[in-house]
Amino acid sequence: MKRATFKDMNEVQAVKDLLDAYPLDHAMRIRAKDRALKWMSRDAKAKSDMTTDLLQGFDLGSAEGRALMELAEAYLRIPDAATRDILLRDKIDAAGWNKESGNATSKLAQYALRMGKGVMGTPLAMLAGPIMATAAKQGMTMLAQHFVMGETIDQATANARKNGRLREWFSFDVLGEGARTHEDAERYFEGYKEAIERVGRNKAGGISVKLSALHPKFEETHRSACFEPMCSKLLHLAKLAAAFNVPLMVDAEEDRRCDLTLAIFEKVRGDAILQGWDRFGLAIQAYLKRTPKTIQFVQDLGQRLNTIINVRLVKGAYWDSEIKYAQMMGHDDFPVFTQKTHTDLSYIVCGHQLLQSSYIRPAFGSHNALSLASLAELAGHDVNAFETQRLHGMGDHIHEAMREEGYSVGVYAPVGPHHDLLPYLVRRLLENGANTSFLKNAAQGDLDKTLLDPCAKLQGRDIRPHPSIRHPHNLYPGRDNSRGINLGDHETLQTTLAKIPQQSPVVNTGASDVQHAVASAQKAFKSWTNTSAENRAQKLEKLADLMETRKHELFALLQNEGRKTLPDAISEVREAQDFCRYYAQQARIQFAPQYLPGPDGERNMYTRHGRGVFACIAPWNFPLAIFIGQCAAALAAGNCVIAKPAEQTPQIGAFAIGLAHEAGIPKDVLHCVQGDGKIGAQLTAHPDIAGVAFTGSYEVGKMIQRTLAQKEGPIVPLIAETAGLNAMAVDSSALPEQVVDDVILSAFGSAGQRCSALRILLIEENAAKRVLPLLQGAMRALRIGNPRDTSNDVGPVIDEEAAQNLHKSIADLKSRGKIVHECAHNETDKTFVAPIAIDMTGQPLPDAEIFGPVLQIYRVKDLAEAVRGVNAKNYALTFGLHTRLPSREKDFESLAEAGNVYINRSMIGAVVGVQPFGGHHRSGTGPKAGGPATLLAYSLEKHISTNTAAAGGNASLVALEDDL
Ligand code: NAD
C-alpha cells in the first residue's frame, strides 16, 4: 500500500495545493463566519470559564505567565517541602506580579503567588512560608482539577456521569508521559485494559491510547523489535474494546512515529477478529504537511477492509518540538507547517477530505469556532456528518452551542494523578496561550483577526514559510548546516540502510614516514600560508560537500572500523562537515588584515598567519570528526598538517585525508602518517613541528607536553583536549523521566566512549527514590548488540584491550559498591561490555575516568558539597544539572568546574559553533574546539606599523579641505 510521506513537499507547494483544494466559496465563508460569531456570542453570554480567565489574565509569554506555568509543571510532583518552597520563592522572584489581572473566579494560584510577593523580604515572610505553600498547593491542585477529569478512571467516569450532557461523550486519556521501561509499558497496558473494561461497564465513553505508552522503544529504527509486540498489545486492547463496544482511538504523537503508527494501525485494524466492529480509529494532525496523504491512506485502508475508520482530526500538539527537532537533526524540511494560518487552511481542506470519504467517520477536535463552522458548512449542517471534540476544561461554550444545535460532542478527558499530568497540561496551556491561538485571540476580543478565514488571510500575500523560523539547513548565518537523515521516516531509513555498503571501501592506509612527511610539509608551508584565507576556506567547504556525497561510505567505515551505531555515525559525519564549514567561515573573518586606529600618518596593519607544520593527533572515539576537526582548524589558519589517526582507526583517517586531497588541499600540505603512540611520539619530538593539536588521554597529553618542553629551539604550543570526570547533579525538582532519558544517553550512548560522557551521577536522596527504579527499567530496555542493526542501542567498545580494562574497573567497583543494574546481552564477541550502573554512595569519588558504559551513582544530601568534591579532582570537561529551580541553576553555573555545562538536557553531542567544546585543568589546555577562539591558537599574529609620512610628510592630511 502506498505510504503517506511528507518527503519532497515544501511548504509553499503544500499551501498552494491546499488553496487550490479550498472547498468553501464566498457565500459559504460568510455563512461560516456568521455561524462562528453566533457560537461565540453564546460564549460571551455564558459565565466566564477558567481557561478564558487565565488567558485574559496572564500573557503566557510574560514573566508572570511563564512563572505560573513552570510552577504548575513541577510543584505537585516535588516530593519534599524544602524544594517546593525554593521553587515557589524562585517563581515569585521571577515574575512581576504587579499587574492587576484576571478576576476572582479562577485565581487561587495568582492569589498565592501575589500574596507571596507581598510578603517577600518583610518580617512576615517567615510566617508566610507555610501559608504560601498551602495556597500554592491548593492553587496548583485547582488548576489540575480543572483540566483532569479524575485521578482514577472510576473518578473520571463518575465525574463524566455527573457532568455529562445529552449528546456528549468522553474519550479518556489515561496517562501523561510515554513508557521509559518495559515495566512502564506493561503497567500502562494493564491500565488501558482496566480502563476499557470499566468504561465499558459504565458505558461512559471511549479510550484514547498513546502507542508510546505500550513500548519503551517505539521508534522507526527499532521497528524490528517493537512492531510485533506493539501490534499484539494494540490488538489485545482493540479486541477488549470491541467486546465492550468501547470506542478506541490511537493518539497522534511526534511525526517521527507517524509511519510506525500507521503500520501498526494498518495491521491491527486488518485483523479478521475485528471485522464488523467500526469504533476503532486514530487521530491525525493537520499541522503535518503529509496529512492529505495520510487521510488517503486511511481511506484506502477502510475501502480495502470494507470498514469504517474513525478519524479525529486535530491541529497538532507537538509543534514547537517538531520545529526544534528538525533543526537539530538537520532534516531536509520541517514536517509541520511553520505558519498557523497554513495549519488552519490544512485543517479545513483535510476536514473536507474526511467528510467526503465513505470509509471514514470524522471527529473534529478543535476550539476554533471558525474552523468548526466552516466544516459544518461543508457538511451541509448535517449534525450527524461529524462529531466535534474538545479538551476537557477548554472551549466549553462553543461546543455547548454546537451541542444545542444537535451535534454530538466528544470530550477528550485526561485521567491520572495530577502530578503526572501537569507537564502535559502545561504544554496544552502554553499551546493555547500562544499569540496565534484562536482561544487567546477570542479571549482578548480580537474578533476580526480571529474570524478571518485562512484563505482570506493568505489572499494577495506571498505564500512563504514563517520568516522567523530558520529552515534546518539555514540555521547558522553565513554557513550551511550539515544535513541529517530523518531516521523516523520508514522509506528514508530503508534507503539509507540499502546504500551503506556492508564492506568498507578499500583504503590504502599509507605510510608512517614521519621524516618524509615533515620535510615535504615544511617545503609547502610558505606557499600554503600565503594563499588567501578565502582560498583555504573554499577548499574546506568543498571537503564538507564531499563528505556529504560520500557519506554512505563514511558510515560503513565508521560502523565497521569505529563500531558505531547508525545515529552515531550520522552525527559524526555531520560534525566533521560542521567543523570544515565553521572554520572556513572563521578563517574568512579572522584572517583578513585589520587596520587598527592610530595617529594620522601611520598605518597599523594586524594580520594572522600559519605557524608552520602542525602535528594533529586524534583519538579513535571520534575518528572522523575530531580528526578532521583538528586538520581543518590547522589548515584554515594556514598551517601544513601531519595528521595521525589513532592506530585503531587507520582506514577512516586515510579515507578522510583522501577526500581532503580530492577537495583541492595539496598533498604536500596535508599528510597522513599511520601508527601507534611511538609514531605519535616521533612526530611530536620532531624539531620542525611548529605546533601540536592533540586529543586523547590525560597521560599522553602530559607526555607530549614534556616532550615539547624539552625541545631546543622555538617554544612549541600544544592544544590538548583530554579526559573528563564528568558529573551530573540531580535534585528532587527534576522530572524523573527526563533525567533518565538524559542519563541513559549521556552515560551509555556510544557505549560510554565519549569524552563528554556522564561518569558520576550525584543525586539527592529524594530524587533517587523515583529516578533509580526508572533507570533500572530503562537500562533493561536497552538493546546491546551489533551496531549495524538499528534496533540495537549500544554496540561494542573499540577493542578487546579496552574491554578487558573495563572489566577490571567494573570488578573493582562491584567489590565496593552495589549494582543498581547491569545490562544483559547475548554477544559472544569479547569486545562487548554490558552497561552498568553502580551505587557507590559512601565510597570516595573516583580519581579518573572509566572510558566505557559505566555509571557511578552517589546519593547525596548536599548537592553543592558533592559538586565541590568532583571539582577537587581537578578535571573540568562537562557537567550536567537537572533541576527546576532557577536559583540552583544560577548557583551551579558558576560552582561547576567544567568547560561545558548542560542544564536539563543530555551532556553529549556538542554542536560546532553552537556549543564550543573543551575543558581545562586536567581536561585540556583550550581553546575549545568549534569556537570563536580556536583558530587563534593555531596561528601567529603579525603587526606592521608603517610611517606613511616618512617620505615628505602626510600628503593626505595636508591636502585636507576645511570643514566649515
Ligand atoms: P590516547 O591518549 O591513548 O591516544 C590518542 C592519540 O594519541 C592516538 O592517536 C595515539 O596513537 C596517540 N598517542 C599515544 N601515545 C602517544 C605519545 N606518546 N605521543 C604522541 N601521541 C601518542 O587516547 P584514546 O584512547 O585514543 O582516546 C580516549 C581518550 O581521549 C579518553 O581519555 C577521552 O576522554 C579522550 N578524549 C578527549 C576529548 C576531548 O575533547 N577532551 C575528545 C575525545 C577523546
Side-chain angles (χ1 to χ4, degrees):
M1 184 175 251
K2 180 99 185 70
R3 285 178 51 261
T5 176
F6 72 89
K7 276 205 317 293
D8 307 322
M9 196 194 301
N10 74 44
E11 184 161 359
V12 174
Q13 192 51 51
V15 172
K16 284 186 177 158
D17 290 352
L18 291 172
L19 282 172
D20 286 345
Y22 196 69
L24 288 118
D25 62 24
H26 187 66
M28 290 167 99
R29 289 188 217 174
I30 292 178
R31 286 200 299 272
K33 182 175 172 181
D34 288 347
R35 182 160 298 259
L37 262 176
K38 194 175 125 205
W39 290 344
M40 288 167 71
S41 58
R42 163 89 175 65
D43 189 4
K45 275 184 270 156
K47 74 179 167 51
S48 170
D49 77 25
M50 186 176 180
T51 324
T52 317
D53 282 357
L54 259 179
L55 296 173
Q56 275 174 342
F58 281 112
D59 174 357
L60 293 182
S62 73
E64 272 180 320
R66 279 220 82 85
L68 179 69
M69 289 300 102
E70 286 162 8
L71 191 59
E73 193 267 340
Y75 195 80
L76 293 183
R77 65 175 165 72
I78 296 179
D80 57 299
T83 308
R84 279 200 303 270
D85 287 351
I86 304 176
L87 179 71
L88 191 54
R89 206 165 273 266
D90 281 359
K91 293 301 164 195
I92 288 167
D93 276 350
W97 310 119
N98 297 323
K99 257 195 303 185
E100 270 316 310
S101 53
N103 63 40
T105 54
S106 67
K107 302 301 171 40
L108 194 52
Q110 289 184 39
Y111 167 73
L113 294 164
R114 289 228 189 84
M115 189 176 77
K117 185 67 183 172
V119 295
M120 288 292 279
T122 72
L124 254 184
M126 298 256 293
L127 275 180
I131 304 174
M132 268 164 52
T134 310
K137 191 161 184 172
Q138 280 172 353
M140 293 306 116
T141 307
M142 206 175 112
L143 199 66
Q145 273 167 351
H146 186 84
F147 295 103
V148 178
M149 194 80 200
E151 291 205 85
T152 62
I153 196 80
D154 281 344
Q155 252 181 34
T157 49
N159 281 341
R161 253 201 318 276
K162 199 161 70 195
N163 302 321
R165 287 162 279 208
L166 191 66
R167 288 188 296 277
E168 189 171 73
W169 72 282
F170 293 83
S171 185
F172 298 101
D173 169 17
V174 286
L175 65 112
E177 309 292 329
R180 279 3 188 235
T181 69
H182 287 296
E183 294 76 17
D184 276 353
E186 212 45 48
R187 197 159 40 82
Y188 289 138
F189 178 56
E190 290 301 320
Y192 280 132
K193 283 200 302 199
E194 191 189 329
I196 291 169
E197 278 185 34
R198 290 187 183 236
V199 167
R201 289 216 173 85
N202 291 327
K203 304 211 177 327
I207 291 287
S208 291
V209 181
K210 269 203 180 67
L211 291 188
S212 60
L214 296 183
H215 202 285
K217 298 283 174 193
F218 170 42
E219 288 158 34
E220 187 61 47
T221 45
H222 289 60
R223 186 186 275 240
S224 65
C226 74
F227 184 74
E228 288 302 334
M230 291 186 76
C231 286
S232 98
K233 277 187 170 161
L234 185 63
L235 181 62
H236 188 115
L237 296 179
K239 280 195 292 194
L240 194 65
F244 283 97
N245 202 20
V246 169
L248 187 69
M249 284 304 255
V250 174
D251 254 332
E253 302 187 59
E254 296 92 338
D255 177 65
R256 61 181 180 276
R257 306 187 204 272
C258 191
D259 282 352
L260 196 47
T261 302
L262 293 177
I264 292 171
F265 183 79
E266 180 184 14
K267 170 138 196 229
V268 176
R269 179 62 276 189
D271 195 287
I273 206 156
L274 298 176
Q275 232 175 22
W277 181 58
D278 69 355
R279 308 194 75 185
F280 188 24
L282 77 171
I284 292 181
Q285 314 190 89
Y287 67 5
L288 293 173
K289 289 181 284 184
R290 63 156 96 186
T291 295
K293 289 185 187 163
T294 307
I295 294 173
Q296 188 58 48
F297 169 89
V298 177
Q299 146 81 20
D300 293 346
L301 179 65
Q303 186 167 15
R304 180 157 58 86
L305 302 174
N306 192 23
T307 187
I308 295 287
I309 296 176
N310 296 307
V311 170
R312 177 199 296 143
L313 185 68
V314 295
K315 288 200 177 160
Y318 301 87
W319 185 76
D320 54 343
S321 47
E322 293 287 6
I323 297 283
K324 181 178 178 186
Y325 187 72
Q327 287 179 335
M328 275 181 12
M329 304 309 280
H331 287 170
D332 286 342
D333 208 344
F334 299 111
V336 293
F337 292 108
T338 56
Q339 310 240 29
K340 191 77 167 40
T341 305
H342 298 168
T343 297
D344 288 344
L345 176 71
S346 162
Y347 194 80
I348 290 175
V349 176
C350 293
H352 185 230
Q353 202 183 344
L354 293 175
L355 286 169
Q356 284 185 316
S357 164
S358 15
Y359 293 94
I360 290 175
R361 183 183 300 128
F364 297 126
S366 172
H367 299 112
N368 183 320
L370 186 64
S371 301
L372 291 171
S374 303
L375 291 166
E377 193 63 36
L378 287 168
H381 299 286
D382 172 2
V383 294
N384 298 315
F386 66 89
E387 173 192 295
T388 168
Q389 291 200 359
R390 66 178 173 84
L391 285 169
H392 170 63
M394 283 191 201
D396 209 3
H397 307 302
I398 293 165
H399 292 80
E400 185 56 18
M402 293 184 76
R403 195 179 65 79
E404 283 171 4
E405 286 188 13
Y407 287 94
S408 164
V409 176
V411 181
Y412 186 84
V415 182
H418 292 160
H419 56 78
D420 276 358
L421 284 186
L422 271 169
Y424 155 87
L425 294 171
V426 165
R427 273 209 300 273
R428 283 280 184 274
L429 269 180
L430 284 173
E431 169 92 357
N432 284 297
N435 282 335
T436 44
S437 155
F438 180 89
L439 273 185
K440 182 175 178 184
N441 290 335
Q444 292 177 342
D446 193 351
L447 281 188
D448 269 347
K449 196 169 162 195
T450 314
L451 290 179
L452 199 57
D453 73 76
C455 203
K457 268 192 201 160
L458 293 171
Q459 203 117 51
R461 287 179 172 243
D462 260 359
I463 307 293
R464 56 176 187 167
H466 200 296
S468 307
I469 297 175
R470 285 158 298 155
H471 186 278
H473 293 176
N474 304 327
L475 211 46
Y476 310 119
R479 73 182 159 102
D480 260 12
N481 186 11
S482 52
R483 309 291 193 252
I485 297 179
N486 186 357
L487 298 181
D489 182 86
H490 180 71
E491 213 168 283
T492 307
L493 175 60
Q494 293 311 315
T495 325
T496 305
L497 290 175
K499 282 187 183 164
I500 303 174
Q502 278 308 312
Q503 302 299 325
S504 304
V506 179
V507 189
N508 175 10
T509 52
S512 51
D513 186 344
V514 170
Q515 293 301 341
H516 168 80
V518 177
S520 155
Q522 181 85 330
K523 256 201 234 149
F525 173 64
K526 266 276 167 289
S527 106
W528 178 248
T529 201
N530 286 335
T531 57
S532 65
E534 176 59 35
N535 180 319
R536 301 194 298 265
Q538 281 178 14
K539 291 184 163 61
L540 289 175
E541 285 164 346
K542 175 84 179 123
L543 170 57
D545 294 346
L546 279 176
M547 284 193 271
E548 175 61 26
T549 44
R550 307 286 293 273
K551 65 185 172 201
H552 297 102
E553 290 160 273
L554 284 168
F555 296 156
L557 279 161
L558 286 163
Q559 294 208 274
N560 293 348
E561 190 177 56
R563 324 198 85 193
K564 305 221 164 206
T565 59
L566 181 58
D568 280 351
I570 293 173
S571 62
E572 174 138 15
V573 174
R574 293 190 65 205
E575 187 179 354
Q577 294 177 33
D578 286 340
F579 272 129
C580 291
R581 297 197 178 105
Y582 179 74
Y583 291 142
Q585 185 188 32
Q586 293 294 305
R588 287 187 179 104
I589 300 166
Q590 294 177 344
F591 285 71
Q594 289 179 44
Y595 293 92
L596 306 177
D600 288 315
E602 190 174 275
R603 187 179 59 229
N604 287 290
M605 185 175 73
Y606 170 88
T607 52
R608 298 195 153 274
H609 308 269
R611 285 182 163 272
V613 179
F614 240 84
C616 293
I617 301 177
W620 49 264
N621 70 330
F622 284 96
L624 181 71
I626 290 182
F627 180 69
I628 279 297
Q630 294 173 333
C631 295
L635 291 166
N639 301 286
C640 290
V641 171
I642 316 295
K644 192 197 90 59
E647 54 273 36
Q648 295 87 343
T649 51
Q651 294 182 36
I652 299 169
F655 188 84
I657 295 294
L659 290 185
H661 292 154
E662 206 181 317
I665 296 162
K667 288 190 174 164
D668 51 356
V669 167
L670 173 63
H671 297 259
C672 184
V673 296
Q674 299 281 359
D676 60 9
K678 282 195 217 89
I679 294 291
Q682 203 185 327
L683 184 59
T684 52
H686 195 288
D688 292 335
I689 289 295
V692 176
F694 165 78
T695 306
S697 59
Y698 166 74
E699 292 71 22
V700 173
K702 279 303 270 190
M703 235 186 286
I704 295 175
Q705 189 190 35
R706 282 193 284 270
T707 305
L708 297 182
Q710 279 162 13
K711 277 209 277 193
E712 293 300 327
I715 299 167
V716 177
L718 167 65
I719 302 164
E721 300 280 352
T722 52
L725 193 57
N726 313 313
M728 178 191 280
V730 175
D731 73 15
S732 66
S733 71
L735 185 67
E737 286 82 3
Q738 255 175 24
V739 172
V740 168
D741 287 349
D742 291 339
V743 167
I744 292 279
L745 186 63
S746 307
F748 307 127
S750 316
Q753 300 173 110
R754 288 176 182 250
C755 51
S756 52
L758 167 63
R759 311 290 177 203
I760 305 173
L761 180 66
L762 306 169
I763 184 163
E764 280 186 352
E765 281 286 359
N766 273 325
K769 282 185 201 127
R770 295 195 57 208
V771 169
L772 297 192
L774 209 52
L775 177 65
Q776 283 170 331
M779 286 179 73
R780 255 194 293 277
L782 281 176
R783 287 172 57 103
I784 293 110
N786 181 356
R788 293 291 299 242
D789 175 349
T790 60
S791 67
N792 287 326
D793 303 293
V794 180
V797 298
I798 188 70
D799 54 25
E800 275 192 34
E801 190 188 334
Q804 273 163 17
N805 288 336
L806 286 166
H807 289 310
K808 265 190 231 144
S809 304
I810 291 169
D812 166 54
L813 295 179
K814 279 181 178 171
S815 73
R816 295 184 291 118
K818 195 168 146 251
I819 299 176
V820 172
H821 187 75
E822 184 169 17
C823 295
H825 66 81
N826 299 321
E827 294 292 336
T828 48
D829 184 328
K830 292 208 173 85
T831 54
F832 278 88
V833 175
I836 182 166
I838 306 191
D839 189 340
M840 299 299 291
T841 309
Q843 291 288 316
L845 286 168
D847 291 316
E849 72 179 352
I850 297 176
F851 205 64
V854 181
L855 176 67
Q856 300 179 58
I857 300 171
Y858 291 80
R859 285 175 286 112
V860 301
K861 288 207 170 57
D862 183 342
L863 271 185
E865 183 62 35
V867 172
R868 277 190 283 273
V870 175
N871 287 346
K873 299 293 173 185
N874 234 346
Y875 288 89
L877 195 54
T878 65
F879 173 81
L881 173 66
H882 266 270
T883 184
R884 290 291 189 267
L885 307 181
S887 55
R888 178 151 288 152
E889 267 182 38
K890 208 160 177 307
D891 290 349
F892 280 43
E893 277 167 19
S894 55
L895 176 68
E897 275 295 345
N900 292 71
V901 175
Y902 296 102
I903 299 174
N904 293 329
R905 49 154 288 169
S906 82
M907 293 162 58
I908 58 164
V911 177
V912 174
V914 180
Q915 290 115 7
F917 184 79
H920 46 273
H921 301 335
R922 288 164 81 102
S923 296
T925 57
K928 287 170 175 297
T934 316
L935 296 193
L936 308 185
Y938 283 82
S939 60
L940 292 173
E941 300 162 290
K942 198 163 192 177
H943 184 270
I944 300 173
S945 188
T946 308
N947 178 3
T948 52
N954 185 348
S956 57
L957 193 63
V958 174
L960 209 59
E961 294 280 345
D962 278 349
D963 176 31
L964 292 174

